[in-house]
Amino acid sequence: MHDDATLSGGRVLAECTAGSFDGIRLDDTGRIWAATHEGVHCFAPDGTLIGKLKLPEKTSNLVFGGLKRNWLFMTASTSVYAIMLNVRGARSVYKGVSTAEGGHPG
């Protein structure tokens, strides 16, 4: 970052082939999960597309949940979808309290 707060030297990590990216989350292995107009795209940490979860509506956001953080909840135009995965969402920390361990962010 420069003194004037502009960025330089960056590169595009991943391109969206279905509209645009909206909500983005990480799993505990560093994979990137991104909401798109056709569902959710999953990328390796280096930006390589691993796969897609296609939904019948534009997907707006997503979050890992459940006791083991292995459920992916996805909000769409008129619905909420959920799928159990064999990966866990990354632990999130807010003000030093891990929300994955029962802490409350606030």
Side-chain angles (χ1 to χ4, degrees):
M1 184 176 347
H2 298 287
D3 291 338
D4 65 356
T6 59
L7 300 176
S8 66
R11 69 175 183 86
V12 174
L13 179 68
E15 301 240 358
C16 185
T17 59
S20 59
F21 293 131
D22 203 339
I24 296 175
R25 298 289 183 269
L26 299 176
D27 69 22
D28 63 356
T29 65
R31 288 179 288 229
I32 303 157
W33 298 73
T36 72
H37 289 193
E38 69 179 359
V40 176
H41 293 187
C42 181
F43 298 91
D46 69 359
T48 303
L49 179 64
I50 296 170
K52 299 177 180 183
L53 295 172
K54 292 193 175 184
L55 298 178
E57 303 176 71
K58 286 184 180 179
T59 309
S60 58
N61 213 334
L62 62 151
V63 66
F64 286 95
L67 292 175
K68 297 180 181 179
R69 301 182 322 278
N70 63 336
W71 278 89
L72 184 65
F73 297 94
M74 301 154 282
T75 58
S77 301
T78 64
S79 307
V80 176
Y81 298 87
I83 185 171
M84 183 184 282
L85 302 171
N86 62 358
V87 298
R88 294 177 181 211
R91 292 183 183 271
S92 61
V93 177
Y94 182 81
K95 293 184 182 179
V97 177
S98 172
T99 57
E101 295 171 358
H104 186 272

Coordinates of all heavy atoms in Angstrom, one line a residue:
M1 N 0.9 -1.2 0.0 CA 0.0 0.0 0.0 C 0.9 1.2 0.0 O 1.9 1.3 0.7 CB -0.9 0.0 1.2 CG -1.9 1.1 1.2 SD -3.2 1.3 2.4 CE -3.3 -0.2 3.3
H2 N 0.5 2.2 -0.7 CA 1.2 3.5 -0.8 C 0.7 4.4 0.3 O -0.3 4.2 1.0 CB 0.9 4.2 -2.2 CG 1.4 3.4 -3.3 ND1 2.7 3.2 -3.6 CD2 0.7 2.6 -4.2 CE1 2.8 2.4 -4.7 NE2 1.6 2.1 -5.1
D3 N 1.5 5.5 0.5 CA 1.2 6.5 1.5 C -0.2 7.1 1.4 O -0.9 7.5 2.3 CB 2.2 7.6 1.6 CG 3.5 7.1 2.1 OD1 3.6 6.1 2.8 OD2 4.6 7.8 1.7
D4 N -0.7 7.2 0.1 CA -2.0 7.7 -0.2 C -3.1 6.7 -0.1 O -4.3 6.9 -0.5 CB -2.1 8.4 -1.5 CG -1.9 7.5 -2.7 OD1 -1.6 6.3 -2.5 OD2 -2.0 8.0 -3.8
A5 N -2.8 5.5 0.5 CA -3.8 4.4 0.7 C -4.2 3.7 -0.6 O -5.1 2.9 -0.6 CB -5.0 4.9 1.5
T6 N -3.5 3.9 -1.7 CA -3.8 3.1 -2.9 C -3.0 1.9 -2.9 O -1.9 1.8 -2.4 CB -3.5 4.0 -4.2 OG1 -2.2 4.3 -4.2 CG2 -4.4 5.2 -4.3
L7 N -3.5 0.9 -3.6 CA -2.9 -0.4 -3.7 C -2.1 -0.6 -5.0 O -2.5 0.0 -6.0 CB -3.9 -1.6 -3.5 CG -4.7 -1.6 -2.2 CD1 -5.7 -2.7 -2.3 CD2 -3.7 -1.8 -1.0
S8 N -1.1 -1.4 -5.0 CA -0.4 -1.7 -6.3 C 0.2 -3.1 -6.2 O 0.3 -3.6 -5.1 CB 0.7 -0.6 -6.5 OG 1.7 -0.7 -5.6
G9 N 0.6 -3.6 -7.3 CA 1.3 -4.9 -7.4 C 0.4 -6.1 -7.1 O 0.9 -7.2 -7.0
G10 N -0.9 -5.8 -7.1 CA -1.8 -6.9 -6.9 C -2.1 -7.7 -8.2 O -1.6 -7.4 -9.3
R11 N -2.8 -8.8 -8.0 CA -3.2 -9.6 -9.2 C -4.6 -10.2 -8.9 O -5.1 -10.2 -7.8 CB -2.2 -10.8 -9.4 CG -2.3 -11.9 -8.3 CD -1.4 -13.1 -8.7 NE -1.5 -14.1 -7.7 CZ -2.4 -15.1 -7.7 NH1 -3.3 -15.1 -8.6 NH2 -2.4 -16.0 -6.8
V12 N -5.2 -10.5 -10.0 CA -6.6 -11.1 -9.9 C -6.4 -12.5 -9.4 O -5.7 -13.3 -10.0 CB -7.3 -11.1 -11.3 CG1 -8.6 -11.8 -11.2 CG2 -7.5 -9.6 -11.7
L13 N -7.1 -12.9 -8.3 CA -7.0 -14.2 -7.8 C -8.0 -15.1 -8.5 O -7.6 -16.3 -8.8 CB -7.4 -14.2 -6.3 CG -7.4 -15.5 -5.6 CD1 -5.9 -16.1 -5.5 CD2 -8.0 -15.5 -4.2
A14 N -9.2 -14.7 -8.8 CA -10.2 -15.5 -9.5 C -11.1 -14.6 -10.2 O -11.4 -13.5 -9.8 CB -10.9 -16.4 -8.4
E15 N -11.6 -15.2 -11.3 CA -12.6 -14.4 -12.1 C -14.0 -15.2 -12.0 O -14.0 -16.4 -11.9 CB -12.2 -14.4 -13.6 CG -10.9 -13.8 -13.8 CD -10.9 -12.6 -14.7 OE1 -12.0 -12.3 -15.2 OE2 -9.9 -12.0 -14.9
C16 N -15.0 -14.4 -11.9 CA -16.4 -14.9 -11.8 C -16.9 -15.2 -13.2 O -17.0 -14.2 -14.0 CB -17.3 -14.0 -11.0 SG -18.9 -14.8 -10.7
T17 N -17.3 -16.4 -13.5 CA -17.9 -16.7 -14.8 C -19.4 -16.7 -14.8 O -20.0 -17.1 -15.8 CB -17.4 -18.1 -15.3 OG1 -17.8 -19.1 -14.3 CG2 -15.9 -18.1 -15.4
A18 N -20.0 -16.3 -13.7 CA -21.5 -16.4 -13.5 C -21.9 -15.1 -12.8 O -22.3 -15.1 -11.7 CB -21.9 -17.6 -12.8
G19 N -22.0 -14.0 -13.6 CA -22.4 -12.8 -12.9 C -21.3 -12.1 -12.2 O -20.2 -11.8 -12.8
S20 N -21.4 -12.0 -10.9 CA -20.4 -11.4 -10.0 C -20.3 -12.1 -8.7 O -21.3 -12.8 -8.3 CB -20.7 -9.9 -9.8 OG -21.9 -9.7 -9.2
F21 N -19.2 -12.0 -8.0 CA -19.1 -12.5 -6.7 C -19.9 -11.7 -5.7 O -19.9 -10.5 -5.9 CB -17.6 -12.6 -6.2 CG -16.8 -13.6 -7.0 CD1 -15.6 -13.2 -7.5 CD2 -17.2 -14.9 -7.2 CE1 -14.8 -14.0 -8.2 CE2 -16.4 -15.8 -7.9 CZ -15.2 -15.3 -8.4
D22 N -20.4 -12.3 -4.7 CA -21.1 -11.5 -3.6 C -20.5 -11.9 -2.3 O -19.3 -11.6 -2.1 CB -22.6 -11.8 -3.7 CG -23.4 -10.7 -3.0 OD1 -22.8 -9.9 -2.2 OD2 -24.6 -10.5 -3.3
G23 N -21.2 -12.7 -1.5 CA -20.6 -13.1 -0.2 C -19.5 -14.1 -0.4 O -19.5 -14.9 -1.3
I24 N -18.4 -14.0 0.4 CA -17.3 -14.8 0.4 C -16.9 -15.3 1.8 O -16.9 -14.6 2.7 CB -16.1 -14.1 -0.3 CG1 -16.4 -13.7 -1.7 CG2 -14.8 -14.9 -0.2 CD1 -15.3 -12.8 -2.3
R25 N -16.6 -16.6 1.9 CA -16.2 -17.2 3.1 C -15.0 -18.2 2.9 O -14.8 -18.6 1.8 CB -17.3 -18.0 3.8 CG -18.5 -17.2 4.1 CD -18.3 -16.3 5.3 NE -19.5 -15.6 5.7 CZ -19.8 -14.4 5.3 NH1 -19.1 -13.8 4.4 NH2 -20.9 -13.8 5.7
L26 N -14.3 -18.5 3.9 CA -13.1 -19.4 3.9 C -13.5 -20.7 4.7 O -14.2 -20.6 5.7 CB -11.9 -18.8 4.4 CG -11.4 -17.6 3.8 CD1 -10.1 -17.0 4.5 CD2 -11.0 -17.8 2.3
D27 N -13.0 -21.8 4.2 CA -13.1 -23.0 5.1 C -11.8 -23.2 5.8 O -10.8 -22.4 5.7 CB -13.5 -24.3 4.3 CG -12.5 -24.8 3.3 OD1 -11.3 -24.5 3.5 OD2 -12.9 -25.5 2.3
D28 N -11.7 -24.2 6.7 CA -10.6 -24.4 7.6 C -9.3 -24.9 6.8 O -8.2 -25.0 7.4 CB -10.9 -25.3 8.7 CG -11.3 -26.7 8.4 OD1 -11.3 -27.0 7.2 OD2 -11.5 -27.5 9.3
T29 N -9.4 -25.1 5.5 CA -8.2 -25.5 4.8 C -7.7 -24.4 3.9 O -6.8 -24.5 3.1 CB -8.5 -26.8 3.9 OG1 -9.4 -26.4 2.9 CG2 -8.9 -27.9 4.7
G30 N -8.4 -23.2 4.0 CA -8.0 -22.1 3.2 C -8.7 -21.9 1.8 O -8.5 -21.0 1.1
R31 N -9.6 -22.9 1.5 CA -10.4 -22.7 0.3 C -11.4 -21.5 0.4 O -11.9 -21.2 1.5 CB -11.2 -24.0 0.0 CG -10.2 -25.1 -0.5 CD -11.0 -26.4 -0.7 NE -11.5 -26.9 0.6 CZ -11.3 -28.2 0.9 NH1 -10.8 -29.1 0.1 NH2 -11.7 -28.6 2.1
I32 N -11.7 -20.9 -0.8 CA -12.5 -19.8 -0.8 C -13.8 -20.2 -1.4 O -13.9 -20.8 -2.5 CB -11.8 -18.7 -1.7 CG1 -10.4 -18.4 -1.2 CG2 -12.7 -17.5 -1.8 CD1 -9.5 -17.8 -2.2
W33 N -14.9 -19.8 -0.7 CA -16.3 -20.1 -1.2 C -17.0 -18.8 -1.5 O -17.0 -17.9 -0.6 CB -17.0 -20.9 -0.1 CG -16.4 -22.2 0.3 CD1 -15.3 -22.4 1.0 CD2 -16.9 -23.5 -0.1 NE1 -15.0 -23.8 1.1 CE2 -16.0 -24.4 0.5 CE3 -18.1 -23.9 -0.8 CZ2 -16.3 -25.8 0.3 CZ3 -18.3 -25.3 -0.9 CH2 -17.4 -26.2 -0.4
A34 N -17.5 -18.7 -2.7 CA -18.0 -17.4 -3.1 C -19.4 -17.6 -3.7 O -19.6 -18.4 -4.6 CB -17.1 -16.7 -4.2
A35 N -20.4 -16.7 -3.3 CA -21.7 -16.7 -3.9 C -21.6 -16.0 -5.3 O -20.9 -15.0 -5.5 CB -22.6 -15.9 -3.0
T36 N -22.4 -16.6 -6.2 CA -22.4 -16.1 -7.6 C -23.9 -16.1 -8.1 O -24.7 -16.5 -7.4 CB -21.6 -16.9 -8.6 OG1 -22.2 -18.2 -8.8 CG2 -20.2 -17.2 -8.0
H37 N -24.1 -15.7 -9.3 CA -25.4 -15.7 -9.9 C -26.0 -17.1 -10.1 O -27.1 -17.3 -10.3 CB -25.5 -14.9 -11.2 CG -25.3 -13.4 -10.9 ND1 -25.6 -12.5 -11.9 CD2 -24.9 -12.7 -9.8 CE1 -25.4 -11.3 -11.4 NE2 -25.0 -11.4 -10.1
E38 N -25.1 -18.1 -10.1 CA -25.5 -19.5 -10.4 C -25.4 -20.4 -9.2 O -25.7 -21.6 -9.3 CB -24.8 -20.1 -11.6 CG -23.3 -20.4 -11.3 CD -22.6 -21.1 -12.5 OE1 -23.3 -21.3 -13.5 OE2 -21.4 -21.3 -12.4
G39 N -25.0 -19.9 -8.1 CA -24.8 -20.7 -6.9 C -23.5 -20.3 -6.2 O -23.2 -19.2 -6.0
V40 N -22.7 -21.3 -5.8 CA -21.5 -21.1 -5.0 C -20.3 -21.7 -5.8 O -20.4 -22.9 -6.2 CB -21.6 -21.7 -3.6 CG1 -20.3 -21.5 -2.9 CG2 -22.7 -21.0 -2.8
H41 N -19.2 -20.9 -5.9 CA -18.0 -21.4 -6.5 C -17.0 -21.6 -5.4 O -16.9 -20.8 -4.5 CB -17.5 -20.5 -7.5 CG -18.3 -20.3 -8.8 ND1 -17.9 -19.6 -9.8 CD2 -19.5 -20.8 -9.1 CE1 -18.8 -19.6 -10.8 NE2 -19.9 -20.3 -10.3
C42 N -16.2 -22.7 -5.5 CA -15.2 -23.0 -4.5 C -13.8 -23.0 -5.2 O -13.6 -23.6 -6.2 CB -15.5 -24.4 -3.9 SG -14.2 -24.8 -2.6
F43 N -12.9 -22.3 -4.6 CA -11.6 -22.1 -5.2 C -10.5 -22.6 -4.2 O -10.7 -22.4 -3.0 CB -11.3 -20.6 -5.4 CG -12.2 -20.0 -6.4 CD1 -13.4 -19.4 -6.1 CD2 -11.9 -20.0 -7.8 CE1 -14.3 -18.8 -7.0 CE2 -12.8 -19.5 -8.7 CZ -14.0 -18.9 -8.3
A44 N -9.4 -23.1 -4.7 CA -8.2 -23.4 -3.9 C -7.6 -22.1 -3.5 O -7.9 -21.0 -4.1 CB -7.3 -24.2 -4.8
P45 N -6.8 -22.1 -2.5 CA -6.1 -20.8 -2.0 C -5.4 -20.1 -3.1 O -5.2 -18.9 -3.0 CB -5.2 -21.3 -0.9 CG -5.8 -22.5 -0.4 CD -6.4 -23.2 -1.6
D46 N -4.9 -20.8 -4.2 CA -4.2 -20.1 -5.3 C -5.1 -19.6 -6.3 O -4.7 -19.0 -7.3 CB -3.2 -21.1 -5.9 CG -3.8 -22.2 -6.7 OD1 -5.1 -22.3 -6.7 OD2 -3.1 -23.0 -7.2
G47 N -6.5 -19.7 -6.1 CA -7.4 -19.2 -7.1 C -7.9 -20.2 -8.1 O -8.8 -19.9 -8.9
T48 N -7.5 -21.4 -8.1 CA -7.9 -22.5 -9.0 C -9.3 -22.9 -8.7 O -9.6 -23.2 -7.5 CB -7.0 -23.7 -9.0 OG1 -5.7 -23.3 -9.3 CG2 -7.5 -24.8 -9.9
L49 N -10.2 -22.9 -9.7 CA -11.6 -23.3 -9.4 C -11.6 -24.8 -9.1 O -11.2 -25.6 -9.9 CB -12.5 -23.0 -10.6 CG -14.0 -23.4 -10.5 CD1 -14.7 -22.6 -9.4 CD2 -14.7 -23.1 -11.9
I50 N -12.2 -25.2 -8.0 CA -12.3 -26.6 -7.6 C -13.6 -27.1 -8.0 O -13.7 -28.2 -8.6 CB -12.2 -26.7 -6.1 CG1 -10.8 -26.3 -5.6 CG2 -12.4 -28.2 -5.7 CD1 -10.6 -26.2 -4.1
G51 N -14.7 -26.4 -7.8 CA -16.0 -26.9 -8.2 C -17.1 -25.8 -8.0 O -16.8 -24.7 -7.5
K52 N -18.3 -26.2 -8.3 CA -19.5 -25.3 -8.2 C -20.7 -26.0 -7.6 O -20.9 -27.2 -7.9 CB -19.9 -24.8 -9.6 CG -18.9 -24.0 -10.3 CD -19.4 -23.6 -11.7 CE -18.3 -22.9 -12.5 NZ -18.9 -22.4 -13.8
L53 N -21.4 -25.3 -6.7 CA -22.7 -25.8 -6.2 C -23.7 -25.0 -6.9 O -23.8 -23.8 -6.6 CB -22.8 -25.6 -4.7 CG -21.8 -26.4 -3.8 CD1 -22.0 -25.9 -2.3 CD2 -22.1 -27.9 -3.9
K54 N -24.4 -25.6 -7.9 CA -25.4 -24.8 -8.7 C -26.7 -24.8 -8.0 O -27.2 -25.8 -7.5 CB -25.5 -25.3 -10.1 CG -24.2 -25.1 -10.8 CD -24.4 -25.4 -12.3 CE -23.1 -25.0 -13.1 NZ -23.3 -25.2 -14.5
L55 N -27.3 -23.6 -7.9 CA -28.6 -23.4 -7.3 C -29.6 -22.8 -8.4 O -29.1 -22.2 -9.3 CB -28.5 -22.4 -6.1 CG -27.7 -22.9 -4.9 CD1 -27.7 -21.8 -3.8 CD2 -28.2 -24.2 -4.4
P56 N -30.9 -23.0 -8.2 CA -31.8 -22.5 -9.2 C -32.1 -20.9 -9.1 O -32.8 -20.4 -9.9 CB -33.1 -23.2 -8.9 CG -33.0 -23.6 -7.4 CD -31.5 -23.8 -7.2
E57 N -31.4 -20.2 -8.2 CA -31.6 -18.8 -8.1 C -30.2 -18.1 -7.9 O -29.2 -18.8 -7.6 CB -32.4 -18.5 -6.8 CG -33.7 -19.1 -6.7 CD -34.4 -18.8 -5.4 OE1 -34.8 -17.7 -5.2 OE2 -34.5 -19.7 -4.5
K58 N -30.2 -16.8 -8.1 CA -29.0 -16.0 -7.8 C -28.7 -16.2 -6.3 O -29.6 -16.0 -5.5 CB -29.2 -14.6 -8.1 CG -29.2 -14.2 -9.6 CD -29.2 -12.7 -9.8 CE -29.2 -12.4 -11.3 NZ -29.3 -11.0 -11.5
T59 N -27.5 -16.4 -6.0 CA -27.1 -16.6 -4.6 C -26.4 -15.3 -4.1 O -25.6 -14.7 -4.8 CB -26.1 -17.8 -4.5 OG1 -26.6 -18.9 -5.1 CG2 -25.8 -18.1 -3.0
S60 N -26.8 -14.8 -3.0 CA -26.4 -13.5 -2.5 C -25.3 -13.6 -1.4 O -24.5 -12.7 -1.3 CB -27.6 -12.7 -2.0 OG -28.3 -13.3 -1.0
N61 N -25.4 -14.6 -0.5 CA -24.5 -14.7 0.6 C -24.4 -16.2 1.0 O -25.2 -17.0 0.7 CB -24.9 -13.8 1.7 CG -23.7 -13.2 2.4 OD1 -22.6 -13.8 2.5 ND2 -23.9 -12.1 3.1
L62 N -23.5 -16.4 1.9 CA -23.3 -17.8 2.4 C -22.6 -17.7 3.8 O -21.9 -16.7 4.1 CB -22.5 -18.6 1.5 CG -21.1 -18.2 1.2 CD1 -20.2 -19.4 0.8 CD2 -21.0 -17.2 0.0
V63 N -22.8 -18.7 4.6 CA -22.1 -18.8 5.9 C -22.0 -20.2 6.3 O -22.9 -21.1 6.0 CB -22.9 -18.0 7.0 CG1 -24.2 -18.6 7.3 CG2 -22.1 -17.8 8.2
F64 N -20.9 -20.6 6.9 CA -20.7 -21.9 7.5 C -21.4 -21.9 8.9 O -21.3 -20.9 9.6 CB -19.3 -22.3 7.7 CG -18.6 -22.6 6.4 CD1 -17.9 -21.7 5.7 CD2 -18.7 -23.9 5.8 CE1 -17.3 -22.0 4.5 CE2 -18.1 -24.2 4.6 CZ -17.4 -23.3 3.9
G65 N -22.1 -23.0 9.2 CA -22.8 -23.0 10.5 C -22.9 -24.4 11.0 O -22.3 -25.3 10.5
G66 N -23.7 -24.6 12.1 CA -23.8 -25.8 12.8 C -22.8 -26.0 13.8 O -21.8 -25.3 13.9
L67 N -23.0 -27.0 14.7 CA -22.0 -27.2 15.8 C -20.6 -27.5 15.3 O -19.6 -27.1 16.0 CB -22.5 -28.4 16.7 CG -23.8 -28.1 17.4 CD1 -24.2 -29.4 18.2 CD2 -23.6 -27.0 18.4
K68 N -20.5 -28.1 14.2 CA -19.1 -28.5 13.6 C -18.7 -27.5 12.5 O -17.7 -27.8 11.9 CB -19.1 -29.9 13.1 CG -19.3 -30.9 14.2 CD -19.3 -32.3 13.7 CE -19.6 -33.3 14.8 NZ -19.5 -34.7 14.2
R69 N -19.5 -26.5 12.2 CA -19.2 -25.5 11.1 C -19.2 -26.2 9.8 O -18.5 -25.8 8.9 CB -17.9 -24.7 11.4 CG -17.9 -23.9 12.6 CD -16.7 -23.1 12.8 NE -15.4 -23.7 12.4 CZ -14.7 -24.6 13.1 NH1 -15.1 -24.9 14.3 NH2 -13.6 -25.1 12.6
N70 N -19.9 -27.4 9.6 CA -19.8 -28.1 8.4 C -21.1 -28.1 7.6 O -21.3 -28.8 6.6 CB -19.4 -29.6 8.6 CG -20.4 -30.3 9.5 OD1 -21.2 -29.7 10.2 ND2 -20.4 -31.6 9.4
W71 N -22.0 -27.1 7.9 CA -23.2 -26.9 7.1 C -22.9 -25.6 6.4 O -22.5 -24.6 7.0 CB -24.4 -26.7 8.0 CG -25.0 -28.0 8.4 CD1 -24.7 -28.8 9.5 CD2 -26.0 -28.7 7.7 NE1 -25.5 -29.9 9.5 CE2 -26.3 -29.9 8.4 CE3 -26.7 -28.5 6.5 CZ2 -27.2 -30.8 8.0 CZ3 -27.7 -29.4 6.1 CH2 -27.9 -30.6 6.8
L72 N -23.2 -25.5 5.1 CA -23.1 -24.3 4.3 C -24.5 -23.8 4.1 O -25.3 -24.5 3.5 CB -22.4 -24.5 3.0 CG -22.1 -23.3 2.2 CD1 -21.2 -22.3 2.9 CD2 -21.6 -23.7 0.8
F73 N -24.8 -22.6 4.6 CA -26.1 -22.0 4.4 C -26.0 -20.9 3.4 O -25.0 -20.1 3.4 CB -26.7 -21.4 5.7 CG -26.9 -22.4 6.8 CD1 -25.9 -22.7 7.7 CD2 -28.1 -23.1 6.8 CE1 -26.2 -23.7 8.7 CE2 -28.4 -24.0 7.8 CZ -27.4 -24.3 8.8
M74 N -26.9 -20.9 2.4 CA -26.8 -20.0 1.2 C -28.1 -19.2 1.1 O -29.2 -19.9 1.0 CB -26.5 -20.8 0.0 CG -25.2 -21.5 0.0 SD -25.1 -23.0 -1.1 CE -26.1 -24.2 -0.1
T75 N -28.0 -17.9 1.1 CA -29.2 -17.1 0.8 C -29.3 -16.8 -0.7 O -28.3 -16.6 -1.3 CB -29.2 -15.8 1.6 OG1 -28.1 -15.0 1.2 CG2 -29.3 -16.1 3.1
A76 N -30.5 -16.8 -1.2 CA -30.7 -16.6 -2.7 C -31.9 -15.6 -2.8 O -32.3 -15.0 -1.9 CB -31.0 -17.9 -3.4
S77 N -32.3 -15.4 -4.0 CA -33.3 -14.4 -4.4 C -34.6 -14.6 -3.5 O -35.1 -13.6 -3.0 CB -33.7 -14.5 -5.8 OG -32.6 -14.3 -6.6
T78 N -35.1 -15.8 -3.3 CA -36.3 -16.0 -2.6 C -36.2 -17.1 -1.6 O -37.2 -17.5 -0.9 CB -37.5 -16.3 -3.5 OG1 -37.3 -17.5 -4.2 CG2 -37.7 -15.2 -4.5
S79 N -35.1 -17.8 -1.4 CA -34.9 -19.0 -0.6 C -33.7 -19.0 0.2 O -32.7 -18.2 -0.1 CB -35.0 -20.2 -1.5 OG -36.1 -20.2 -2.3
V80 N -33.6 -19.9 1.2 CA -32.4 -20.2 1.9 C -32.1 -21.7 1.7 O -33.0 -22.5 1.8 CB -32.5 -19.9 3.4 CG1 -31.3 -20.3 4.1 CG2 -32.8 -18.4 3.6
Y81 N -30.9 -22.0 1.3 CA -30.5 -23.4 1.0 C -29.4 -23.8 2.0 O -28.7 -23.0 2.5 CB -29.9 -23.5 -0.4 CG -30.9 -23.2 -1.5 CD1 -31.1 -21.9 -1.9 CD2 -31.7 -24.2 -2.1 CE1 -31.9 -21.5 -2.9 CE2 -32.6 -23.9 -3.1 CZ -32.7 -22.5 -3.5 OH -33.6 -22.2 -4.5
A82 N -29.3 -25.1 2.3 CA -28.3 -25.6 3.2 C -27.8 -27.0 2.7 O -28.6 -27.7 2.1 CB -28.9 -25.8 4.6
I83 N -26.5 -27.2 2.9 CA -26.0 -28.5 2.5 C -24.9 -28.8 3.5 O -24.1 -28.0 4.0 CB -25.4 -28.4 1.1 CG1 -24.9 -29.8 0.6 CG2 -24.3 -27.4 0.9 CD1 -24.5 -29.9 -0.8
M84 N -24.8 -30.1 3.9 CA -23.8 -30.6 4.8 C -22.5 -30.9 4.0 O -22.6 -31.5 2.9 CB -24.2 -31.8 5.6 CG -23.1 -32.2 6.6 SD -23.6 -33.8 7.5 CE -24.8 -33.1 8.7
L85 N -21.4 -30.4 4.4 CA -20.1 -30.6 3.7 C -19.2 -31.5 4.5 O -19.3 -31.7 5.7 CB -19.5 -29.3 3.4 CG -20.3 -28.3 2.6 CD1 -19.6 -26.9 2.6 CD2 -20.5 -28.8 1.2
N86 N -18.1 -32.0 3.8 CA -17.1 -32.7 4.5 C -15.9 -31.8 4.9 O -14.8 -32.3 5.1 CB -16.6 -33.9 3.7 CG -16.0 -33.5 2.4 OD1 -15.9 -32.4 2.1 ND2 -15.6 -34.5 1.6
V87 N -16.1 -30.5 4.9 CA -15.1 -29.5 5.4 C -15.8 -28.6 6.4 O -17.1 -28.6 6.5 CB -14.6 -28.7 4.2 CG1 -13.9 -29.5 3.2 CG2 -15.7 -27.9 3.6
R88 N -15.0 -27.9 7.1 CA -15.6 -27.0 8.1 C -15.2 -25.6 7.8 O -14.1 -25.3 7.2 CB -15.0 -27.3 9.5 CG -15.4 -28.6 10.1 CD -14.7 -28.8 11.4 NE -15.1 -30.1 11.9 CZ -15.1 -30.4 13.2 NH1 -14.8 -29.5 14.1 NH2 -15.5 -31.6 13.6
G89 N -16.1 -24.6 8.1 CA -15.8 -23.2 7.9 C -14.6 -22.8 8.8 O -14.4 -23.4 9.9
A90 N -13.9 -21.8 8.4 CA -12.8 -21.3 9.2 C -13.4 -20.7 10.4 O -14.4 -20.1 10.4 CB -12.0 -20.2 8.4
R91 N -12.6 -20.8 11.5 CA -13.0 -20.2 12.8 C -13.0 -18.7 12.6 O -12.1 -18.1 12.0 CB -12.1 -20.6 13.9 CG -12.2 -22.0 14.3 CD -11.3 -22.3 15.5 NE -11.3 -23.7 15.8 CZ -12.2 -24.2 16.7 NH1 -13.1 -23.4 17.3 NH2 -12.2 -25.5 16.9
S92 N -14.0 -18.0 13.1 CA -14.0 -16.5 13.1 C -13.7 -16.0 14.5 O -14.2 -16.5 15.4 CB -15.3 -16.0 12.5 OG -16.4 -16.4 13.3
V93 N -13.0 -14.9 14.5 CA -12.7 -14.2 15.8 C -13.2 -12.8 15.7 O -12.9 -12.1 14.8 CB -11.2 -14.3 16.1 CG1 -10.9 -13.6 17.4 CG2 -10.7 -15.7 16.1
Y94 N -13.9 -12.4 16.7 CA -14.4 -11.0 16.8 C -14.0 -10.5 18.1 O -14.4 -11.1 19.2 CB -15.9 -11.0 16.5 CG -16.5 -9.6 16.6 CD1 -16.4 -8.8 15.4 CD2 -17.1 -9.1 17.7 CE1 -17.0 -7.6 15.4 CE2 -17.6 -7.9 17.7 CZ -17.6 -7.1 16.6 OH -18.1 -5.8 16.6
K95 N -13.3 -9.4 18.2 CA -12.8 -8.8 19.5 C -12.2 -9.9 20.4 O -12.4 -9.9 21.6 CB -14.0 -8.2 20.2 CG -14.5 -6.9 19.5 CD -15.6 -6.3 20.3 CE -16.2 -5.1 19.5 NZ -17.2 -4.4 20.3
G96 N -11.4 -10.8 19.8 CA -10.7 -11.8 20.6 C -11.5 -12.9 21.1 O -11.1 -13.8 21.8
V97 N -12.8 -13.0 20.7 CA -13.7 -14.1 21.2 C -14.0 -14.9 20.0 O -14.5 -14.5 19.0 CB -15.0 -13.5 21.8 CG1 -15.9 -14.7 22.2 CG2 -14.7 -12.6 23.0
S98 N -13.7 -16.2 20.1 CA -14.0 -17.1 19.0 C -15.5 -17.4 18.9 O -16.1 -18.0 19.9 CB -13.3 -18.4 19.1 OG -13.7 -19.4 18.2
T99 N -16.2 -17.0 17.9 CA -17.6 -17.3 17.7 C -17.9 -18.7 17.5 O -19.0 -19.2 17.7 CB -18.2 -16.4 16.6 OG1 -17.6 -16.7 15.4 CG2 -18.1 -15.0 16.9
A100 N -16.9 -19.5 17.0 CA -17.0 -20.9 16.8 C -17.1 -21.7 18.0 O -17.4 -22.9 18.1 CB -15.9 -21.4 15.9
E101 N -16.7 -21.1 19.2 CA -16.6 -21.8 20.4 C -17.7 -21.3 21.4 O -17.5 -21.4 22.6 CB -15.2 -21.7 21.1 CG -14.2 -22.4 20.2 CD -12.8 -22.1 20.7 OE1 -12.6 -21.3 21.7 OE2 -11.8 -22.6 20.1
G102 N -18.7 -20.8 20.8 CA -19.9 -20.4 21.7 C -19.8 -18.9 22.1 O -20.7 -18.5 22.9
G103 N -18.8 -18.2 21.7 CA -18.7 -16.8 22.1 C -19.7 -16.0 21.3 O -20.2 -16.4 20.3
H104 N -20.1 -14.9 21.9 CA -21.0 -14.0 21.2 C -20.3 -12.7 20.8 O -19.7 -12.1 21.6 CB -22.2 -13.7 22.1 CG -23.3 -12.9 21.4 ND1 -23.3 -11.5 21.3 CD2 -24.4 -13.3 20.8 CE1 -24.3 -11.1 20.7 NE2 -25.0 -12.2 20.3
P105 N -20.4 -12.4 19.5 CA -19.7 -11.2 19.0 C -20.4 -9.9 19.3 O -20.9 -9.2 18.6 CB -19.7 -11.4 17.4 CG -21.0 -12.2 17.2 CD -21.1 -13.1 18.4
G106 N -20.3 -9.5 20.6 CA -20.8 -8.2 20.9 C -21.2 -8.2 22.3 O -21.5 -7.6 23.1

